[in-house]
Amino acid sequence: MGIVGVALAVGILVGLTGVGAGAAMTPALVGIFGVPLPVAIATDLVFATITKALGVLVHGRAGQVDWKIAKKLWAGSIPAVAIGSILLVGFVTAGHTTWLLWLLLAFVLFTSITLLLRGLRPPRGEAQSEKVSDGRLLAPLGGAGVGLGVSLTSVGAGVLGMALLVKLSPKDTPPQRLVATDLLHAIPIALIAGTSYALSGLVDFPLLLALLIGSIPGVILGAFASRWIPARAMNIGLGIILATLAIMLVVS
């Protein structure tokens, strides 16, 4: 029941902000429940694919997805996630997985700091972000970084993808549109990595079922509630949660 409860909370975070499926769930599985890191990464990626697809269905009902920007990000993220998946399976097969914990810790801490800064700075900071002069270069390069991070740690598609979207989108883009596009971008890269890990025998399917039981109602609730919850409060709260999980990773 503990895993189902955590999955419910993570599902709500995903629906609200587009962040949490990897950044919160993988360190929680490792630090709280003692799941082996490669299994946690692999199972979480399949979990993320399903929960984020549900989030897109709810957010996208009003045409809130920016397909043009998502395609630019995929140009870099899809090839990178394929490469990262091959690397991870190779390292796991060879028994070299200790470095994965430190890589996961680095991504979780970076995500936590990014969210805290976004939540603590003046409200106008994100709204006034201008569209970059050459999104054709930033989108695929940034997408490649996101894809590689997701394939190796399951972390990055949410907050790093959101940071890219803020830079690539007009300053008056509604937050719900950013969240919906961020969720859409994450689906194929999580699916590619998750499928490759499932074929390699790394996915724990009973664990996946427990995660989905909790997350499915959570992501739907979060997506519907996103219009009423202040984004700054969510960023600060999630940043604190991730910092706590990072400490638990070190302690465990």
Side-chain angles (χ1 to χ4, degrees):
M1 289 302 293
I3 289 180
V4 174
V6 170
L8 174 64
V10 171
I12 293 173
L13 291 175
V14 171
L16 282 171
T17 67
V19 179
M25 183 55 74
T26 297
L29 290 175
V30 176
I32 299 175
F33 300 104
V35 178
L37 183 54
V39 174
I41 292 172
T43 305
D44 182 57
L45 283 166
V46 180
F47 159 77
T49 302
I50 298 171
T51 54
K52 293 195 174 190
L54 287 172
V56 167
L57 287 176
V58 178
H59 281 288
R61 71 193 186 282
Q64 293 175 340
V65 173
D66 190 329
W67 286 89
K68 184 177 180 181
I69 292 181
K71 290 176 182 178
K72 291 179 180 179
L73 294 173
W74 284 330
S77 61
I78 289 179
V81 79
I83 294 171
S85 299
I86 294 171
L87 289 174
L88 181 64
V89 171
F91 281 120
V92 170
T93 302
H96 303 305
T97 59
T98 303
W99 61 275
L100 283 174
L101 178 61
W102 298 107
L103 185 62
L104 173 63
L105 180 63
F107 266 84
V108 172
L109 283 174
F110 179 78
T111 301
S112 173
I113 293 170
T114 302
L115 288 168
L116 287 172
L117 289 176
R118 185 185 299 170
L120 292 172
R121 70 188 177 190
R124 61 177 183 167
E126 184 172 279
Q128 289 188 344
S129 295
E130 297 289 345
K131 191 173 182 178
V132 296
S133 58
D134 189 8
R136 291 175 297 178
L137 182 62
L138 177 63
L141 288 180
V146 171
L148 194 60
V150 168
S151 61
L152 294 176
T153 67
S154 80
V155 179
V159 70
L160 299 182
M162 182 67 74
L164 281 171
L165 287 171
V166 169
K167 294 293 185 181
L168 294 166
S169 302
K171 62 180 180 180
D172 57 348
T173 302
Q176 292 84 0
R177 185 173 179 84
L178 293 173
V179 171
T181 306
D182 189 34
L183 289 170
L184 175 68
H185 168 240
I187 292 172
I189 58 178
L191 177 61
I192 292 169
T195 300
S196 66
Y197 298 151
L199 294 175
S200 301
L202 293 175
V203 175
D204 185 329
F205 286 99
L207 174 62
L208 174 63
L209 179 60
L211 295 179
L212 292 176
I213 290 173
S215 68
I216 288 176
V219 72
I220 294 173
L221 176 62
F224 277 113
S226 62
R227 69 187 69 181
W228 296 294
I229 306 296
R232 294 183 69 198
M234 284 303 307
N235 286 331
I236 294 172
L238 183 53
I240 293 172
I241 291 171
L242 293 182
T244 303
L245 289 172
I247 293 172
M248 294 184 67
L249 280 174
V250 175
V251 173
S252 64

